[in-house]
Amino acid sequence: MARNRVTNFLDPCGYILDILGDQNKVAVPDPVYPVYVDTNVMAGHTGPGGKDGSYEGLRYLPCTAENNFVPEPPKEHVDLVYLCFPNNPTGAVASRAQLSHWVAYAREHDALLLFDAAYEAYISDPEIPHSIFEVPGARECAIEFRSFSKNGGFTGVRCGFTVVTKSVLAQTENGRRLPLHPLWQRRWSTKSNGVSYPVQRGAEALYSQEGRKQVRVLIDHYMGNAKLLRDAVVDAGLKPFGGVNAPYIWVKTPDGLTSWEMFDRMLRELNVVITPGAGFGAQGEGHFRISAFNSRENAEEVAGRLRGLHQ
Amino acid sequence: MARNRVTNFLDPCGYILDILGDQNKVAVPDPVYPVYVDTNVMAGHTGPGGKDGSYEGLRYLPCTAENNFVPEPPKEHVDLVYLCFPNNPTGAVASRAQLSHWVAYAREHDALLLFDAAYEAYISDPEIPHSIFEVPGARECAIEFRSFSKNGGFTGVRCGFTVVTKSVLAQTENGRRLPLHPLWQRRWSTKSNGVSYPVQRGAEALYSQEGRKQVRVLIDHYMGNAKLLRDAVVDAGLKPFGGVNAPYIWVKTPDGLTSWEMFDRMLRELNVVITPGAGFGAQGEGHFRISAFNSRENAEEVAGRLRGLHQ
């Protein structure tokens, strides 16, 4: 079991359930960043887990090569939808049209979109929205999560923020429609009063001219790694996804290997650790994730070893 | 409503409910630090609130001058008990014998004690336990919350810790007894991965020789304020409680004033802000809290003004 889990880092996504009810029908992409699923499991919103890592009661939205790893809204009603673009783990991005479909769905079904934009800084294609709020109508149906972990390299300092507009409403058990903003405010003021003060000053510095410049250099560095690694995957005869507007490269395993078999092979043959796709859900099986978060030296070394992978 | 709330600061107490069920019978002292009550209200563990600030479904344990503000265990069964000694807001401390009664109760009733020791550094009486774990048997029935807010002056940096022994068990819905430690570990590793790294280094420094010395100086400073303020309360002809092994002085309002009437009177006559007791629960009515967390200059000024309070 422990082997099937991918380690997670801080995300305000983990706390949003504190202000939402227990009876919501929840949709999650598959594969998916595990926090969305795990926090629902921990809150008792799901049934038992299956052998493939999926849980009863959740509506999984398969993300596959066929849909470019961007799921369409389901036919049936759901109350909550987790979306993350650029995506962890697949590195996929959603177009304006695709996000518009989701906003239209949410407005029609009175659903709430929980949009994780942690990797927005990695988008280079000017056509790709950086925020769900670039789509008209999203202010009434979406909450957006932002992180400093990935742009400022702030992993481990526990700082992020959540955009809850004053126009996003939710329904109480007896049918009243109320704004979520005061509930979220109350949740934070009662349980923690927010982010550590010295850390907030660090986050503030990211918005200075010098801070913006440093962030840009850091992003360019990681995206340089992503290009090196993606090219090496191609040279190794494997099929990569993502890695262009996202720091993750999602790769199909060769020879029908499971993702953990591929993990073992990469470890033994190349002495390189990758993340097995099965840790991100049932649809992650048969894939693995390569992360661009590393030094250039390490990325180059891994790229070279990848080219030597025995086919 | 807003006026009846006392502002709270961070406490791991606010998160412990994440790993406990919804059906527990919860006992809280009255008056009480509001986070214990509020987090239960927010989790839907109570019924509606009454005009006096109390909520249906909670078992309130009155803390009054008659019991020296240390409640005895109830006759009936409860599952969870919040205790805080030295106490906020009353400044009361619990003796070893009193804590032993609670541990005996918890073991007999299979109850869990949630012991908030945030103010332990303020204890000067060598007979008073600093930790619930000084009482034999507590390792099987208690969780202790510790804070750096009050010893290191760490308010606002979001750092504390929780002592969950590996021998403290809880019962699942179908009657299995399981340790809470792995659940708590999982809760933190999934939702936040713990305290911001730079802040942890600050906390570490509190345990250095120099850090311990600075903490001692800080505590002595605040307790010097407490003595000044307590003496001034007596000179003003009012009845103080606490303020000897705790940084809070709990004062009975004169002339049958409500705590908010006293707030207004102190504000108008002395231009001094105190905390009205009603904000801490129904039993807090008719009392107010004076905090020793201030500069010496301010404490001396307030002490002088208190002596001029018109009786």
Side-chain angles (χ1 to χ4, degrees):
Chain A
M1 252 317 265
R3 219 186 178 212
N4 270 329
R5 292 264 155 239
V6 176
T7 307
N8 318 310
F9 295 93
L10 168 75
D11 226 295
C13 316
Y15 296 127
I16 194 70
L17 296 178
D18 287 0
I19 63 163
L20 300 171
D22 287 339
Q23 307 302 322
N24 291 310
K25 182 75 188 170
V26 180
V28 291
D30 180 7
V32 69
Y33 177 54
V35 165
Y36 315 144
V37 173
D38 293 351
T39 52
N40 275 286
V41 173
M42 289 161 80
H45 296 173
T46 71
K51 279 189 181 165
D52 63 358
S54 63
Y55 286 86
E56 285 175 24
L58 292 178
R59 172 66 165 90
Y60 287 95
L61 307 166
C63 303
T64 62
E66 285 68 43
N67 60 13
N68 285 314
F69 302 96
V70 180
E72 279 293 314
K75 297 271 177 274
E76 76 276 21
H77 172 85
V78 301
D79 299 296
L80 296 179
V81 184
Y82 288 89
L83 295 174
C84 171
F85 296 107
N87 188 259
N88 176 14
T90 67
V93 285
S95 69
R96 198 170 301 269
Q98 287 168 319
L99 293 180
S100 298
H101 290 173
W102 275 107
V103 168
Y105 173 87
R107 293 177 68 100
E108 186 189 332
H109 285 268
D110 201 10
L112 182 65
L113 304 181
L114 302 171
F115 191 80
D116 186 351
Y119 299 96
E120 62 79 25
Y122 291 85
I123 296 171
S124 55
D125 182 341
E127 295 300 313
I128 302 295
H130 287 242
S131 164
I132 189 75
F133 297 116
E134 292 184 45
V135 177
R139 281 168 186 260
E140 284 72 46
C141 65
I143 286 175
E144 183 162 299
F145 303 102
R146 290 287 186 117
S147 167
F148 297 109
S149 296
K150 313 303 175 187
N151 60 359
F154 264 35
T155 318
V157 304
R158 318 291 175 232
C159 188
F161 64 95
T162 311
V163 185
V164 182
T165 67
K166 290 191 176 164
S167 49
V168 66
L169 307 180
Q171 198 161 301
T172 66
E173 279 177 9
N174 49 29
R176 288 168 69 205
R177 290 176 62 78
L178 294 173
L180 286 171
H181 186 274
L183 284 178
W184 188 236
Q185 173 71 27
R186 182 61 205 258
R187 185 262 170 233
W188 280 95
S189 61
T190 294
K191 291 205 180 173
S192 97
N193 270 337
V195 171
S196 180
Y197 296 168
V199 169
Q200 289 194 39
R201 297 307 296 266
E204 185 186 6
L206 291 180
Y207 293 97
S208 67
Q209 209 176 350
E210 180 59 26
R212 284 172 196 266
K213 208 159 55 182
Q214 289 182 16
V215 165
R216 200 61 258 160
V217 169
L218 195 60
I219 302 278
D220 290 346
H221 162 76
Y222 288 136
M223 289 315 293
N225 287 351
K227 182 168 184 343
L228 278 170
L229 292 162
R230 199 181 194 281
D231 289 349
V233 166
V234 173
D235 292 347
L238 301 178
K239 173 84 179 147
F241 303 96
V244 177
N245 292 289
Y248 297 122
I249 301 148
W250 189 240
V251 190
K252 193 158 166 37
T253 60
D255 312 325
L257 293 182
T258 70
S259 62
W260 277 105
E261 284 168 350
M262 190 64 189
F263 175 87
D264 289 339
R265 185 172 163 192
M266 295 277 282
L267 185 62
R268 286 195 199 117
E269 288 185 24
L270 307 185
N271 204 17
V272 164
V273 169
I274 48 83
T275 312
F280 297 101
Q283 296 289 338
E285 188 50 278
H287 296 79
F288 63 97
R289 190 189 75 172
I290 299 177
S291 163
F293 292 119
N294 220 316
S295 67
R296 180 58 47 88
E297 192 185 358
N298 280 348
E300 282 171 346
E301 176 67 29
V302 168
R305 292 192 201 174
L306 270 171
R307 289 194 174 87
L309 189 69
H310 289 101
Q311 289 301 314
Chain B
M1 251 318 265
R3 221 188 176 211
N4 270 328
R5 293 261 154 243
V6 176
T7 306
N8 318 311
F9 295 93
L10 168 75
D11 226 296
C13 315
Y15 296 128
I16 194 71
L17 295 178
D18 288 358
I19 62 161
L20 300 171
D22 287 338
Q23 307 301 322
N24 291 309
K25 183 75 189 169
V26 180
V28 291
D30 181 7
V32 69
Y33 176 54
V35 165
Y36 316 144
V37 173
D38 293 351
T39 51
N40 275 284
V41 173
M42 290 161 80
H45 296 173
T46 70
K51 279 188 180 166
D52 63 358
S54 62
Y55 287 86
E56 286 176 23
L58 292 177
R59 173 66 165 90
Y60 286 94
L61 306 166
C63 303
T64 62
E66 286 67 43
N67 61 14
N68 285 314
F69 302 96
V70 181
E72 280 293 314
K75 297 272 179 273
E76 76 276 22
H77 172 85
V78 300
D79 299 295
L80 297 178
V81 184
Y82 288 88
L83 295 173
C84 171
F85 295 107
N87 189 258
N88 177 13
T90 68
V93 286
S95 69
R96 197 169 302 270
Q98 287 168 319
L99 293 180
S100 299
H101 290 173
W102 276 108
V103 168
Y105 173 87
R107 293 176 67 100
E108 187 190 331
H109 285 266
D110 201 10
L112 181 65
L113 304 180
L114 302 172
F115 191 80
D116 186 351
Y119 299 95
E120 62 79 25
Y122 292 84
I123 296 171
S124 55
D125 182 340
E127 295 300 312
I128 303 294
H130 287 241
S131 164
I132 190 74
F133 297 116
E134 292 184 44
V135 177
R139 280 168 186 259
E140 284 71 45
C141 65
I143 286 175
E144 184 163 299
F145 303 102
R146 290 288 186 116
S147 166
F148 298 109
S149 297
K150 313 304 175 186
N151 59 359
F154 263 36
T155 318
V157 304
R158 319 292 174 231
C159 187
F161 64 94
T162 311
V163 185
V164 182
T165 66
K166 291 192 176 165
S167 49
V168 67
L169 308 180
Q171 198 160 302
T172 66
E173 279 178 9
N174 49 28
R176 288 168 70 206
R177 290 177 62 77
L178 294 173
L180 286 171
H181 186 274
L183 283 178
W184 188 237
Q185 173 71 27
R186 181 63 205 258
R187 185 261 170 235
W188 281 96
S189 60
T190 294
K191 292 204 180 174
S192 97
N193 269 339
V195 171
S196 180
Y197 296 167
V199 169
Q200 289 194 39
R201 299 306 296 266
E204 184 186 8
L206 292 179
Y207 293 97
S208 68
Q209 209 175 350
E210 180 58 26
R212 284 170 196 267
K213 208 159 54 181
Q214 288 182 17
V215 166
R216 200 61 257 159
V217 169
L218 194 62
I219 301 279
D220 290 347
H221 162 76
Y222 288 136
M223 289 314 292
N225 288 351
K227 184 171 183 342
L228 278 170
L229 292 162
R230 199 180 194 282
D231 289 349
V233 166
V234 174
D235 292 348
L238 301 177
K239 174 81 177 148
F241 303 97
V244 177
N245 292 289
Y248 297 122
I249 301 147
W250 189 240
V251 190
K252 194 160 166 33
T253 59
D255 312 325
L257 293 182
T258 70
S259 63
W260 277 105
E261 286 168 348
M262 190 63 188
F263 174 88
D264 289 337
R265 182 170 165 193
M266 294 278 283
L267 184 63
R268 286 195 198 117
E269 287 186 25
L270 307 184
N271 203 17
V272 164
V273 169
I274 48 84
T275 312
F280 297 100
Q283 296 288 336
E285 189 48 279
H287 295 79
F288 63 96
R289 189 190 75 172
I290 299 177
S291 163
F293 292 118
N294 220 316
S295 66
R296 179 58 48 88
E297 193 185 357
N298 281 348
E300 282 171 347
E301 177 66 29
V302 168
R305 292 191 201 175
L306 270 171
R307 290 194 174 87
L309 189 69
H310 290 101
Q311 289 302 311

